[in-house]
Amino acid sequence: MRWLVGWSSAAATPDRRRGSTRSTADSPHPATGSADPHADRDSGGSYNPRDPYDSYGPYGYAQHTAHIPDGSDGVLQPVGAQVLWGGPDPLWAVGDWRPDEIRVVEAQPGHRIAVFGCCGASDDELRLGLVAARGGAFRHLTAWPGSYTAVACVGRRITIAADLAGARPVFHVPWAGGTAYATAALPLADLTEAELDFGHLAALLACPDAPEALGEGTPYRGVRRVPPGHALIVRDGGSREIAGYESSASLVVGAPPADPEAAVAGVRDALVDAVRARLTAPRHAAEHDVGVREVRDVRAERDPGPVPGMGPADRQRARGGPAPGVGADLSGGPASGTLALLAAGLPGTPGTVFGSGAASAGERLLAVTFNDLTLSSAAHPEGTPGSVPTGRYDSAGVAGHLAELERAHAIAENPRLRHVVVTGSEETLPYADLENGPLTDEPGPSLVTAERHRHRLGAGSSDHFLGSGARQVIDAHPARLADLLLDRRRRHLVRPVAALARAEGESGGQLVGRSLLVPVTVYRAARRLARTPYRDGVVEAAAQLRDSSFTAAAFAPYPEGGDSAVDASVAALTWCRPGPAARWLTGEALAEVSLRLEAAAQARPSIERPGERRSRAALARAAADHRVLEQAAEIRNQRLHAPFFDNQVVRAAGELPEALRVRPGARASILRAALAGAGVHELPPGWGAPTHATHHAALRAGVRLAAEQLLELFRAPLLAEAGLVEARVVRQAIQRVARGEQLPVEGIADLVSMELWLSRLLARRGTCWIGSGAPRHRAAAAGVHPDARYERILPPAAG
């Protein structure tokens, strides 16, 4: 886990002795006696980067001494941190950052910018961005290709921008009369000894896609999140401001429509720049691949070459760690296939670094395909003791999985790709190996599938492309149908409605007759959403959470899982709706979330279109889960790259006309055009076919296999102790899903992930900080006991 953390102090300490972070720029430097804070770099001062307590950092100033709120001064620094700069506004980088992932560029004394991650900008472009940010145009800090976090320091004004998707968030909390900020919430929670925010945890389970319920909060009380598309600006340690840097869409109906061809070309260029930014970055290999001598003077062995019965991937896994160079997922879907073909076709050498193992420079791009061997047995579990058939749902998952494998093999025939198929059986199903796993910054559904992803990524490369986020970035949310009605473009509803009717007619059984009613059903739902004000829609969702019939239907059939695409689309045509786990929460937890919704509706009325707002919320949800996946499935020396979450890709996709995005197969056609612009024209049949059922089938198979373990997990769960669920109800739901009943299996994943995260958080020892000024207690020290509950958020009083 990698993160950056810093703070801005509000006032100077009483004295300016050596080690005080309140020293100002015009005071003599403690090591050199010079007023120039940079004099020690040229005059041989006492700066020692290996000494965490006697270090003044590259910009002068001792960076590890903090003014504690109780009036004392103490040494305080993050565990395992490297200092970027000190002074009253210190900044650290924590974790196994690569050297090229941290860049500090200074325009003039006191004006500098730090960029963390993969950024395609040159040093001169960073200086220009810093100059623009100094004038207030901090949107320039987010306009370069890549995925990164930029921190601009202009005097005592700190600007740190969150990305547009939410994959690189920024958190902040008041501390010591100033403001502390970080790209992870847990270090700030440790710093302030924050307890758990149970209202936020309840909202994550009840309405995970609703920004009205989640707000800017985090699982830790008092730690706030900077919304996507906004920046945190701290001035002189005291003034704190959250400002948006991205202009919102206009409601003007007469605005000229965007050119579809130009918009698709923009997406193509953004994707090419995103992939090129990764390919042009320095290549990295693990120590066991290049034989670098470690600090403890132990030389790692090179790849010994061919071994009887072992291929290159087998030898690499035996040595441990990812393969050197660049690789990509190749699931057979359009997102991963686009990235793999772009990375393999762009000029350069996307293969491994020169001289690593038995490979040489220019080796073909490593493409990894995961083959789940359990899907066929999940569709026909009659031969498995204690199992019953689950019907067409799992059969559709098997068919989709086999079709994906065929497309992956067809794409892998590209001579620039080196195809590796990773097989997995029961040990790679969701819910496997729940006892082991790292503590992530926040909970997320990816915790239950971490071992599955880690098994696949273990055969990947040091820099590995993922197709995550393509659906949320490019595809149209069903609520965008209401946006078309608001723009009086009813004719553009014909294609998506016809596609839904065709899918309903092909589903077989009793659903064939319903296909005739699809146009009327979808049109009525879209018109109702278009005519429902934002405030009324959110209040309606709050009333639904308080309705006793909602929890009474906890074990009613759940058609939204895959039986009908129309049901899923109609259910999504709302301003706000409960999540799949909401039906199993207690009435108290649902009432608390409903109060949050009502308060948000009254305090922050929205003028956005429903489709735009719902699309942004879905993107933020997907980006947050991807961030949890990066931490839960992290492999040392490996970096996961998801270019679809990059700022420039999100911006380019936002320029796509709504009429283009709501068409059936819009994502596949847009990516096909992007590949054609890059010179790739031949694609396998079935390119872009939907494969949602594969993930659901694996989740259901995982519940059946791990039912006993899950029942034991919820024997005395922490969620029940916190008052969010009743253990008996959750155990009953797990038993019914294991028997094959159609219940929301995604809700089970949300509950299990939250329970796992809470148990790992409370079981850890120590904090993220060391030194004499470190907090005495870690975050969530009070656990989930009733005395740790906070005062509930009530809606504002009527004025």
Side-chain angles (χ1 to χ4, degrees):
M1 181 174 173
R2 295 169 299 279
W3 41 276
L4 63 94
V5 61
W7 64 64
S8 185
S9 305
T13 50
D15 55 1
R16 292 179 179 175
R17 63 182 181 274
R18 175 176 176 172
S20 173
T21 61
R22 313 301 179 180
S23 303
T24 58
D26 56 352
S27 61
H29 189 273
T32 64
S34 170
D36 182 6
H38 310 279
D40 64 320
R41 287 182 288 180
D42 300 325
S43 59
S46 61
Y47 169 59
N48 181 8
R50 292 185 176 86
D51 188 350
Y53 297 99
D54 192 20
S55 172
Y56 295 94
Y59 296 99
Y61 308 120
Q63 74 280 6
H64 299 298
T65 303
H67 182 60
I68 310 303
D70 60 8
S72 61
D73 289 338
V75 176
L76 179 63
Q77 66 170 344
V79 176
Q82 63 179 104
V83 63
L84 273 298
W85 60 66
D89 308 313
L91 180 66
W92 293 275
V94 184
D96 58 336
W97 292 94
R98 294 172 175 174
D100 59 284
E101 290 178 330
I102 303 177
R103 299 168 60 190
V104 179
V105 175
E106 186 174 17
Q108 62 186 62
H111 294 184
R112 51 188 176 261
I113 181 174
V115 178
F116 300 81
C118 179
C119 180
S122 63
D123 288 352
D124 291 338
E125 291 175 327
L126 294 181
R127 291 188 181 93
L128 288 177
L130 180 59
V131 172
R134 182 175 58 186
F138 46 86
R139 183 179 184 272
H140 291 271
L141 301 177
T142 66
W144 302 304
S147 178
Y148 54 87
T149 301
V151 182
C153 177
V154 179
R156 293 219 58 203
R157 187 184 70 186
I158 305 293
T159 303
I160 176 170
D163 66 338
L164 290 174
R168 285 190 171 269
V170 177
F171 305 90
H172 62 96
V173 66
W175 183 77
T179 300
Y181 59 87
T183 54
L186 182 58
L188 300 183
D190 278 346
L191 183 66
T192 59
E193 302 177 359
E195 298 298 338
L196 290 171
D197 187 339
F198 295 96
H200 184 83
L201 297 179
L204 276 177
L205 294 174
C207 298
D209 295 335
E212 296 82 8
L214 300 176
E216 299 176 4
T218 66
Y220 313 99
R221 194 187 315 171
V223 180
R224 313 292 292 174
R225 181 194 309 267
V226 177
H230 291 69
L232 172 67
I233 305 175
V234 183
R235 296 180 177 88
D236 296 328
S239 173
R240 181 173 60 253
E241 176 187 1
I242 305 295
Y245 59 80
E246 200 71 11
S247 59
S248 58
S250 174
L251 290 177
V252 178
V253 178
D259 181 14
E261 293 183 1
V264 172
V267 174
R268 177 199 64 209
D269 295 341
L271 278 175
V272 170
D273 291 342
V275 174
R276 182 180 288 116
R278 274 77 174 189
L279 295 181
T280 56
R283 303 292 172 81
H284 295 271
E287 293 176 348
H288 52 64
D289 289 310
V290 297
V292 177
R293 183 178 297 275
E294 299 179 355
V295 176
R296 63 178 183 272
D297 198 27
V298 177
R299 182 175 297 276
E301 296 295 334
R302 292 176 180 266
D303 185 352
V307 177
M310 298 181 65
D314 297 326
R315 298 197 305 270
Q316 174 262 318
R317 281 194 294 268
R319 298 193 309 273
V326 181
D329 273 356
L330 187 60
S331 65
S336 62
T338 298
L339 295 179
L341 291 174
L342 283 178
L346 288 177
T349 54
T352 58
V353 294
F354 178 79
S356 57
S360 60
E363 183 179 349
R364 295 171 295 172
L365 182 89
L366 177 63
V368 180
T369 299
F370 179 69
N371 183 12
D372 189 349
L373 302 178
T374 63
L375 281 179
S376 57
S377 61
H380 305 284
E382 294 87 346
T384 304
S387 300
V388 296
T390 58
R392 187 188 63 82
Y393 189 81
D394 286 333
S395 300
V398 173
H401 179 63
L402 295 178
E404 273 194 335
L405 289 178
E406 292 179 0
R407 289 192 292 271
H409 283 289
I411 296 173
E413 293 178 358
N414 187 307
R416 296 179 63 89
L417 294 177
R418 179 167 60 93
H419 196 204
V420 174
V421 178
V422 179
T423 59
S425 56
E426 293 181 350
E427 70 276 2
T428 62
L429 281 173
Y431 307 100
D433 196 18
L434 296 181
E435 295 83 3
N436 302 315
L439 171 64
T440 57
D441 192 44
E442 296 179 285
S446 291
L447 288 177
V448 302
T449 58
E451 184 62 28
R452 183 181 183 86
H453 291 288
R454 192 181 298 111
H455 179 75
R456 181 189 81 253
L457 296 173
S461 299
S462 296
D463 290 278
H464 200 77
F465 285 98
L466 303 178
S468 304
R471 181 177 294 112
Q472 291 76 17
V473 171
I474 298 179
D475 281 5
H477 192 279
R480 286 192 180 271
L481 297 177
D483 295 356
L484 293 176
L485 291 180
L486 289 173
D487 291 340
R488 301 180 181 179
R489 292 186 286 178
R490 295 180 179 87
R491 62 185 179 89
H492 294 294
L493 272 69
V494 175
R495 288 189 178 183
V497 171
L500 288 174
R502 185 165 52 252
E504 197 82 349
E506 294 174 354
S507 57
Q510 300 178 353
L511 299 178
V512 176
R514 293 180 53 189
S515 62
L516 300 177
L517 302 177
V518 167
V520 177
T521 303
V522 176
Y523 180 79
R524 284 180 176 176
R527 185 179 62 176
R528 180 178 182 273
L529 176 59
R531 295 182 176 181
T532 303
Y534 165 78
R535 180 174 297 176
D536 295 345
V538 176
V539 171
E540 180 182 348
Q544 184 181 3
L545 288 178
R546 290 196 301 268
D547 190 355
S548 58
S549 63
F550 185 78
T551 54
F555 300 104
Y558 192 72
E560 209 173 308
D563 286 350
S564 172
V566 175
D567 291 335
S569 298
V570 172
L573 284 168
T574 56
W575 278 103
C576 178
R577 64 168 182 157
R583 58 177 58 195
W584 294 309
L585 298 186
T586 62
E588 180 185 7
L590 293 175
E592 191 163 350
V593 177
S594 70
L595 293 179
R596 282 174 165 248
L597 292 176
E598 291 179 345
Q602 297 295 330
R604 296 186 297 273
S606 175
I607 61 174
E608 296 175 283
R609 290 185 173 93
E612 293 173 353
R613 187 172 183 85
R614 291 298 307 277
S615 297
R616 274 208 328 275
L619 175 60
R621 164 76 169 175
D625 192 40
H626 171 74
R627 180 170 174 264
V628 174
L629 169 64
E630 283 186 312
Q631 300 171 7
E634 183 178 16
I635 297 177
R636 184 171 178 82
N637 300 316
Q638 186 179 63
R639 296 292 185 269
L640 303 181
H641 302 282
F644 287 101
F645 288 128
D646 289 5
N647 287 330
Q648 80 276 19
V649 178
V650 174
R651 284 194 180 100
E655 298 297 327
L656 293 170
E658 292 179 355
L660 177 63
R661 302 180 71 173
V662 299
R663 293 179 183 176
R667 172 163 43 101
S669 61
I670 291 172
L671 295 180
R672 182 191 297 269
L675 287 174
V680 180
H681 300 280
E682 296 183 2
L683 296 173
W687 171 268
T691 55
H692 301 281
T694 306
H695 175 66
H696 296 283
L699 284 176
R700 293 188 180 278
V703 172
R704 288 195 294 268
L705 184 65
E708 295 184 2
Q709 183 181 4
L710 297 180
L711 291 175
E712 184 62 27
L713 180 66
F714 283 91
R715 189 68 58 190
L718 296 171
L719 287 175
E721 188 176 350
L724 300 183
V725 301
E726 291 185 10
R728 173 185 56 83
V729 174
V730 178
R731 290 198 301 269
Q732 187 177 3
I734 294 173
Q735 291 172 344
R736 293 195 173 191
V737 172
R739 291 197 298 266
E741 297 188 22
Q742 292 296 321
L743 294 180
V745 68
E746 304 92 339
I748 299 294
D750 290 343
L751 292 173
V752 174
S753 299
M754 184 77 72
E755 180 67 23
L756 284 176
W757 181 80
L758 284 174
S759 61
R760 293 173 184 176
L761 176 67
L762 300 183
R764 75 184 185 121
R765 297 292 181 266
T767 71
C768 297
W769 300 86
I770 59 174
S772 59
R776 296 182 178 87
H777 303 285
R778 62 183 183 276
V784 295
H785 297 289
D787 56 357
R789 299 299 300 267
Y790 74 109
E791 184 178 356
R792 287 167 173 75
I793 299 177
L794 299 178

